[in-house]
């Protein structure tokens, strides 16, 4: 398939459907582009800040996929509980990662970091438009 040609990691195929793989791939390219641009204009700290900002949402997307994954047929109630649990996990991992980066990485460029994170967040709903 195109995703295998594009070089997505094998483990990502195991936990994610086509919509999420597509969104993660677009987030990767957007993050890479912003990182290159920030690296050119601001320097290494800008590039790393942009990369970290995009990675926050990509990791959260993988956590969501892992928590919603599984081949079990579920009732509507079980499905809703699983989705709520996965969304709570995604939000929790986002908050944790934002806190870790902003407190641990002293050279963070906040505008670039938050800006790239926002771009990655805005790409995420595109999964609703991608068909399996």
């Amino acid at each position: 398939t195109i995703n295998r040609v594009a070089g997505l990691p094998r483990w990502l195929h195991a936990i994610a459907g086509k919509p999420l793989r597509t969104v993660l791939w677009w987030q990767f390219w957007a993050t890479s582009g912003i990182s290159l641009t920030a690296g050119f204009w601001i320097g290494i700290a800008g590039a790393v800040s942009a990369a970290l900002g995009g990675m926050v949402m990509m990791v959260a997307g993988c956590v969501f996929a892992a928590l919603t994954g599984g081949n079990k047929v579920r009732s509507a109630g079980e499905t809703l509980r699983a989705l709520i649990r996965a969304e709570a996990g995604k939000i929790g991992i986002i908050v944790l990662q934002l806190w870790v980066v902003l407190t641990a990485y002293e050279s963070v460029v906040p505008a670039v970091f938050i800006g790239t994170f926002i771009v990655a967040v805005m790409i995420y709903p595109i999964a609703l438009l991608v068909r399996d």
Side-chain angles (χ1 to χ4, degrees):
T1 66
I2 188 72
N3 289 323
R4 294 204 191 277
V5 173
L8 287 175
R10 178 157 280 173
W11 62 267
L12 187 56
H13 291 282
I15 67 167
K18 183 181 178 188
L20 186 62
R21 285 194 309 265
T22 301
V23 168
L24 289 172
W25 193 238
W26 291 354
Q27 286 174 334
F28 169 78
W29 282 112
T31 300
S32 297
I34 295 170
S35 292
L36 288 172
T37 304
F40 178 76
W41 289 104
I42 299 171
I44 192 73
V48 171
S49 296
L52 290 171
M55 287 301 297
V56 166
M57 197 60 202
M58 286 187 268
V59 169
C62 290
V63 167
F64 183 86
L67 293 174
T68 58
N71 297 338
K72 295 189 301 184
V73 176
R74 298 178 178 173
S75 69
E78 290 173 337
T79 301
L80 188 57
R81 280 190 293 276
L83 287 174
I84 291 171
R85 191 176 319 119
E87 193 64 32
K90 182 177 87 173
I91 291 169
I93 201 72
I94 287 171
V95 170
L96 178 68
Q97 290 178 97
L98 289 173
W99 175 75
V100 167
V101 170
L102 291 172
T103 57
Y105 182 48
E106 294 178 2
S107 299
V108 71
V109 180
V112 174
F113 174 70
I114 298 298
T116 308
F117 171 72
I118 290 171
V119 168
V121 168
M122 292 172 62
I123 291 172
Y124 196 80
I126 294 173
L128 299 174
L129 304 175
V130 178
R131 296 184 184 255
D132 261 333

